[in-house]
Amino acid sequence: TSSFEALLFPPFQTVLTMDVSEFTPYVFQILAQLLEFKPSGSGLGESYTGLFPPLLTPAVWDRKGNIPALTRLLRAYLGQSSLELIAAGHLPPLLGVFQKLVSSRSNEQSAFELLGAIITFVAPESLQSYLKTVFQVLLTRLQHGKTPRYVRLLTHFFALFVGKFGAQPFLNAVNSLQAGLALTLIVQFWNPRLRSDPPVKLDAKIQVIGLTKLLCDASALLSDNEGKRIWGQMFFSTVTLLTVSGGGVVVEAEEDPPVEIEVSYDSSFSNLQFARMPPEDPFREVSDPATAFVSALQTLSASNPGQIQPIIQESLHSNPKLLSGLQAMMQKAGVSLV
């Protein structure tokens, strides 16, 4: 990509310096694509490093037509070299951009795309001190705008977070806001969404991986009868995803979701058709989510002998199809429960 960069950066810098609003969304998309195709581990380079700080200024995000392209560009920066960005002190302003976006219903999709990239590419220890604030922002927004789309985006983030960071950090971060809040969110929002608005394709895979860790790594859920009841409900939803909805299917190129743009004497966003990227799998290392699920279940059962099978039977007894599906997954993976 270096030859393309040498050719394109001078006119791009002219467009950005002169603030040619009709062209800036296209420039951001092409810059993102160039970054996405840079060899892994090659770093950002001087030109991209110098361009980054202006991308975080509030003014550039005030133009609605820039937002989807800018979001993709920041995701590309994080994917290419999050370590450089964190070392340069850019994490707080990145989170500031997320907070600005999530406050607007029309920009919430972009907000979660950016937050997802931060969770995917930034090390947990770098994010630790910010997690309480992140969840506080998300849940405050939930209180003031509980739309089906926001619940879908939020629960997708829950699964991604648990899949990347683990179940206990999720429970700790949410419960730091209010004791018992994590289980309340699971019961009132996460599990109902899985049943009323079941995820598909890549979203289904991410949910299964997050749910696997929630079910098999959070021992606190099995400490009392209420926790076991909630565990059984989430287990039912997970097996449903794997046997009915096809969790972990091969991810095909998908159309980008429609972006709501509030336009008032402003350039609107237009996708460059040949600059699109297929959905990025944050768990490429998990090739078979079903096998990963039943293997984790076997480990949980071995550490809690005689406790897991009764909960599973109680959870699935009313649906023989799901029970048969679970048994087929276990047989295929060569695992059993004790």
Side-chain angles (χ1 to χ4, degrees), residues 10-36:
F12 282 0
Q13 287 173 331
T14 300
V15 169
L16 297 177
T17 301
M18 296 180 64
D19 192 24
V20 185
S21 61
E22 292 83 1
F23 296 133
T24 50
Y26 302 110
V27 169
F28 293 142
Q29 287 178 80
I30 296 172
L31 285 172
Q33 189 173 45
L34 289 172
L35 262 180
E36 289 158 355

Side-chain angles (χ1 to χ4, degrees), residues 253-271:
E254 299 171 337
E255 290 293 319
D256 291 334
V259 177
E260 296 182 24
I261 302 293
E262 298 173 357
V263 181
S264 57
Y265 301 101
D266 201 354
S267 60
S268 60
F269 174 71
S270 295
N271 250 320

Side-chain angles (χ1 to χ4, degrees), residues 30-62:
I30 296 172
L31 285 172
Q33 189 173 45
L34 289 172
L35 262 180
E36 289 158 355
F37 281 104
K38 279 178 72 74
S40 178
S42 62
L44 294 174
E46 184 178 345
S47 296
Y48 285 106
T49 300
L51 177 64
F52 191 76
L55 301 180
L56 302 177
T57 57
V60 75
W61 292 89
D62 287 338

Side-chain angles (χ1 to χ4, degrees), residues 58-331:
V60 75
W61 292 89
D62 287 338
R63 184 169 293 138
K64 304 290 184 183
N66 284 344
I67 289 175
L70 272 172
T71 302
R72 178 180 172 184
L73 181 54
L74 293 191
R75 289 166 60 197
Y77 266 97
L78 286 162
Q80 180 62 29
S81 189
S82 62
L83 289 176
E84 287 183 55
L85 300 181
I86 303 308
H90 292 312
L91 182 55
L94 276 169
L95 291 170
V97 171
F98 151 72
Q99 186 170 358
K100 176 183 174 69
L101 293 176
V102 82
S103 66
S104 165
R105 181 178 176 182
S106 62
N107 296 327
E108 61 192 14
Q109 177 84 36
S110 295
F112 278 97
E113 289 176 5
L114 177 57
L115 184 60
I118 293 172
I119 293 299
T120 299
F121 297 115
V122 176
E125 55 269 22
S126 298
L127 272 171
Q128 184 60 45
S129 61
Y130 302 99
L131 291 181
K132 182 177 181 179
T133 301
V134 167
F135 278 100
Q136 191 167 36
V137 168
L138 290 172
L139 299 182
T140 299
R141 173 70 172 77
L142 179 66
Q143 283 183 311
H144 295 98
K146 189 179 66 175
T147 64
R149 184 174 75 162
Y150 186 81
V151 171
R152 180 169 64 251
L153 293 169
L154 181 65
T155 53
H156 174 88
F157 169 73
F158 286 169
L160 176 65
F161 183 94
V162 174
K164 286 293 182 183
F165 290 0
Q168 202 57 50
F170 169 77
L171 298 175
N172 291 343
V174 176
N175 288 337
S176 69
L177 300 175
Q178 179 183 319
L181 181 57
L183 290 185
T184 300
L185 291 173
I186 290 170
V187 171
Q188 295 186 4
F189 295 101
W190 194 349
N191 196 49
R193 178 261 155 143
L194 295 175
R195 301 195 183 193
S196 65
D197 181 19
V200 296
K201 296 186 179 179
L202 180 57
D203 191 11
K205 177 182 179 180
I206 292 170
Q207 285 289 344
V208 167
I209 291 171
L211 290 165
T212 296
K213 288 196 173 185
L214 184 69
L215 291 168
C216 300
D217 295 351
S219 56
L221 282 178
L222 299 173
S223 61
D224 57 37
N225 289 334
E226 178 62 13
K228 291 176 181 178
R229 184 183 68 83
I230 295 170
W231 192 97
Q233 292 174 349
M234 297 301 281
F235 182 83
F236 183 98
S237 296
T238 307
V239 176
T240 300
L241 283 177
L242 286 167
T243 58
V244 178
S245 304
V249 298
V250 176
V251 179
E252 303 168 355
E254 299 171 337
E255 290 293 319
D256 291 334
V259 177
E260 296 182 24
I261 302 293
E262 298 173 357
V263 181
S264 57
Y265 301 101
D266 201 354
S267 60
S268 60
F269 174 71
S270 295
N271 250 320
L272 288 175
Q273 295 296 323
F274 295 102
R276 293 188 177 192
M277 291 289 286
E280 185 173 357
D281 184 353
F283 299 107
R284 284 177 291 182
E285 70 279 8
V286 182
S287 59
D288 187 347
T291 297
F293 170 65
V294 294
S295 297
L297 194 62
Q298 181 186 45
T299 302
L300 177 68
S301 177
S303 60
N304 298 271
Q307 293 189 48
I308 304 304
Q309 286 219 56
I311 307 175
I312 291 175
Q313 291 293 334
E314 175 66 23
S315 172
L316 302 184
H317 78 278
S318 63
N319 196 319
K321 182 179 179 181
L322 292 186
L323 189 57
S324 297
L326 175 64
Q327 292 168 344
M329 285 187 287
M330 294 176 63
Q331 185 176 8

